[in-house]
mmCIF file of all heavy atoms in Angstrom:
data_model
loop_
_atom_site.group_PDB
_atom_site.id
_atom_site.type_symbol
_atom_site.label_atom_id
_atom_site.label_comp_id
_atom_site.label_asym_id
_atom_site.label_seq_id
_atom_site.Cartn_x
_atom_site.Cartn_y
_atom_site.Cartn_z
ATOM 1 N N PHE F 292 -107.057 -71.546 -23.848
ATOM 2 C CA PHE F 292 -107.080 -72.998 -24.050
ATOM 3 C C PHE F 292 -107.811 -73.681 -22.909
ATOM 4 O O PHE F 292 -107.627 -73.356 -21.743
ATOM 5 C CB PHE F 292 -105.649 -73.547 -24.109
ATOM 6 C CG PHE F 292 -105.600 -75.059 -24.090
ATOM 7 C CD1 PHE F 292 -105.656 -75.779 -25.272
ATOM 8 C CD2 PHE F 292 -105.532 -75.753 -22.884
ATOM 9 C CE1 PHE F 292 -105.645 -77.170 -25.250
ATOM 10 C CE2 PHE F 292 -105.522 -77.139 -22.851
ATOM 11 C CZ PHE F 292 -105.573 -77.848 -24.039
ATOM 12 N N ASN F 293 -108.647 -74.618 -23.278
ATOM 13 C CA ASN F 293 -109.165 -75.564 -22.280
ATOM 14 C C ASN F 293 -109.173 -76.931 -22.937
ATOM 15 O O ASN F 293 -109.536 -77.072 -24.106
ATOM 16 C CB ASN F 293 -110.575 -75.191 -21.824
ATOM 17 C CG ASN F 293 -110.929 -75.890 -20.523
ATOM 18 O OD1 ASN F 293 -110.589 -75.429 -19.449
ATOM 19 N ND2 ASN F 293 -111.585 -77.037 -20.622
ATOM 20 N N ARG F 294 -108.787 -77.932 -22.177
ATOM 21 C CA ARG F 294 -108.700 -79.282 -22.739
ATOM 22 C C ARG F 294 -110.081 -79.791 -23.184
ATOM 23 O O ARG F 294 -111.115 -79.285 -22.728
ATOM 24 C CB ARG F 294 -108.115 -80.238 -21.707
ATOM 25 C CG ARG F 294 -109.039 -80.377 -20.521
ATOM 26 C CD ARG F 294 -108.492 -81.285 -19.472
ATOM 27 N NE ARG F 294 -109.444 -81.332 -18.375
ATOM 28 C CZ ARG F 294 -109.354 -82.080 -17.318
ATOM 29 N NH1 ARG F 294 -108.322 -82.867 -17.181
ATOM 30 N NH2 ARG F 294 -110.255 -82.060 -16.382
ATOM 31 N N HIS F 295 -110.037 -80.794 -24.026
ATOM 32 C CA HIS F 295 -111.280 -81.440 -24.456
ATOM 33 C C HIS F 295 -111.420 -82.753 -23.685
ATOM 34 O O HIS F 295 -110.530 -83.589 -23.690
ATOM 35 C CB HIS F 295 -111.228 -81.723 -25.957
ATOM 36 C CG HIS F 295 -112.373 -82.559 -26.436
ATOM 37 N ND1 HIS F 295 -113.502 -81.999 -26.994
ATOM 38 C CD2 HIS F 295 -112.578 -83.889 -26.395
ATOM 39 C CE1 HIS F 295 -114.357 -82.974 -27.274
ATOM 40 N NE2 HIS F 295 -113.817 -84.134 -26.939
ATOM 41 N N VAL F 296 -112.530 -82.909 -23.001
ATOM 42 C CA VAL F 296 -112.824 -84.188 -22.356
ATOM 43 C C VAL F 296 -114.240 -84.563 -22.775
ATOM 44 O O VAL F 296 -115.180 -83.786 -22.540
ATOM 45 C CB VAL F 296 -112.760 -84.075 -20.809
ATOM 46 C CG1 VAL F 296 -113.069 -85.424 -20.160
ATOM 47 C CG2 VAL F 296 -111.405 -83.572 -20.346
ATOM 48 N N ASN F 297 -114.351 -85.704 -23.423
ATOM 49 C CA ASN F 297 -115.664 -86.122 -23.926
ATOM 50 C C ASN F 297 -116.744 -85.998 -22.870
ATOM 51 O O ASN F 297 -116.549 -86.386 -21.725
ATOM 52 C CB ASN F 297 -115.618 -87.580 -24.397
ATOM 53 C CG ASN F 297 -115.013 -87.661 -25.786
ATOM 54 O OD1 ASN F 297 -114.928 -86.650 -26.489
ATOM 55 N ND2 ASN F 297 -114.577 -88.864 -26.167
ATOM 56 N N ASP F 298 -117.825 -85.440 -23.256
ATOM 57 C CA ASP F 298 -119.035 -85.271 -22.429
ATOM 58 C C ASP F 298 -118.912 -84.234 -21.307
ATOM 59 O O ASP F 298 -119.884 -83.582 -20.969
ATOM 60 C CB ASP F 298 -119.498 -86.603 -21.790
ATOM 61 C CG ASP F 298 -119.832 -87.627 -22.857
ATOM 62 O OD1 ASP F 298 -120.241 -87.182 -23.953
ATOM 63 O OD2 ASP F 298 -119.648 -88.827 -22.599
ATOM 64 N N THR F 299 -117.724 -84.086 -20.730
ATOM 65 C CA THR F 299 -117.658 -83.145 -19.592
ATOM 66 C C THR F 299 -117.037 -81.791 -19.962
ATOM 67 O O THR F 299 -117.487 -80.760 -19.486
ATOM 68 C CB THR F 299 -116.859 -83.744 -18.413
ATOM 69 O OG1 THR F 299 -115.567 -84.104 -18.894
ATOM 70 C CG2 THR F 299 -117.568 -84.933 -17.808
ATOM 71 N N GLU F 300 -116.006 -81.789 -20.788
ATOM 72 C CA GLU F 300 -115.381 -80.513 -21.168
ATOM 73 C C GLU F 300 -115.260 -80.438 -22.682
ATOM 74 O O GLU F 300 -114.221 -80.751 -23.245
ATOM 75 C CB GLU F 300 -114.001 -80.369 -20.516
ATOM 76 C CG GLU F 300 -114.055 -80.115 -19.026
ATOM 77 C CD GLU F 300 -112.686 -80.045 -18.380
ATOM 78 O OE1 GLU F 300 -111.907 -79.143 -18.696
ATOM 79 O OE2 GLU F 300 -112.397 -80.936 -17.552
ATOM 80 N N GLU F 301 -116.349 -80.061 -23.307
ATOM 81 C CA GLU F 301 -116.339 -79.975 -24.774
ATOM 82 C C GLU F 301 -116.523 -78.524 -25.199
ATOM 83 O O GLU F 301 -117.401 -77.836 -24.690
ATOM 84 C CB GLU F 301 -117.454 -80.850 -25.354
ATOM 85 C CG GLU F 301 -117.164 -82.335 -25.172
ATOM 86 C CD GLU F 301 -118.224 -83.241 -25.783
ATOM 87 O OE1 GLU F 301 -119.221 -82.720 -26.307
ATOM 88 O OE2 GLU F 301 -118.036 -84.458 -25.710
ATOM 89 N N ASN F 302 -115.688 -78.094 -26.121
ATOM 90 C CA ASN F 302 -115.769 -76.719 -26.660
ATOM 91 C C ASN F 302 -115.823 -75.644 -25.570
ATOM 92 O O ASN F 302 -116.503 -74.633 -25.725
ATOM 93 C CB ASN F 302 -117.003 -76.567 -27.562
ATOM 94 C CG ASN F 302 -116.866 -77.391 -28.809
ATOM 95 O OD1 ASN F 302 -115.770 -77.479 -29.381
ATOM 96 N ND2 ASN F 302 -117.939 -78.019 -29.221
ATOM 97 N N VAL F 303 -115.126 -75.894 -24.488
ATOM 98 C CA VAL F 303 -115.178 -74.946 -23.366
ATOM 99 C C VAL F 303 -114.705 -73.562 -23.815
ATOM 100 O O VAL F 303 -115.379 -72.548 -23.584
ATOM 101 C CB VAL F 303 -114.317 -75.448 -22.178
ATOM 102 C CG1 VAL F 303 -114.280 -74.421 -21.060
ATOM 103 C CG2 VAL F 303 -114.870 -76.764 -21.666
ATOM 104 N N ASN F 306 -117.111 -71.976 -26.511
ATOM 105 C CA ASN F 306 -118.374 -71.521 -25.923
ATOM 106 C C ASN F 306 -118.170 -70.297 -25.035
ATOM 107 O O ASN F 306 -118.991 -69.388 -25.007
ATOM 108 C CB ASN F 306 -119.022 -72.645 -25.093
ATOM 109 C CG ASN F 306 -119.454 -73.797 -25.981
ATOM 110 O OD1 ASN F 306 -119.618 -73.614 -27.195
ATOM 111 N ND2 ASN F 306 -119.636 -74.973 -25.403
ATOM 112 N N ASP F 321 -108.863 -75.985 -28.202
ATOM 113 C CA ASP F 321 -108.800 -77.155 -27.322
ATOM 114 C C ASP F 321 -107.683 -78.084 -27.794
ATOM 115 O O ASP F 321 -107.601 -79.235 -27.395
ATOM 116 C CB ASP F 321 -110.151 -77.872 -27.186
ATOM 117 C CG ASP F 321 -110.681 -78.381 -28.501
ATOM 118 O OD1 ASP F 321 -109.944 -78.342 -29.504
ATOM 119 O OD2 ASP F 321 -111.846 -78.824 -28.517
#
Side-chain angles (χ1 to χ4, degrees):
F292 171 89
N293 197 84
R294 65 181 179 176
H295 172 96
V296 180
N297 280 343
D298 299 331
T299 56
E300 288 177 64
E301 290 182 357
N302 293 321
V303 176
N306 294 340
D321 60 9

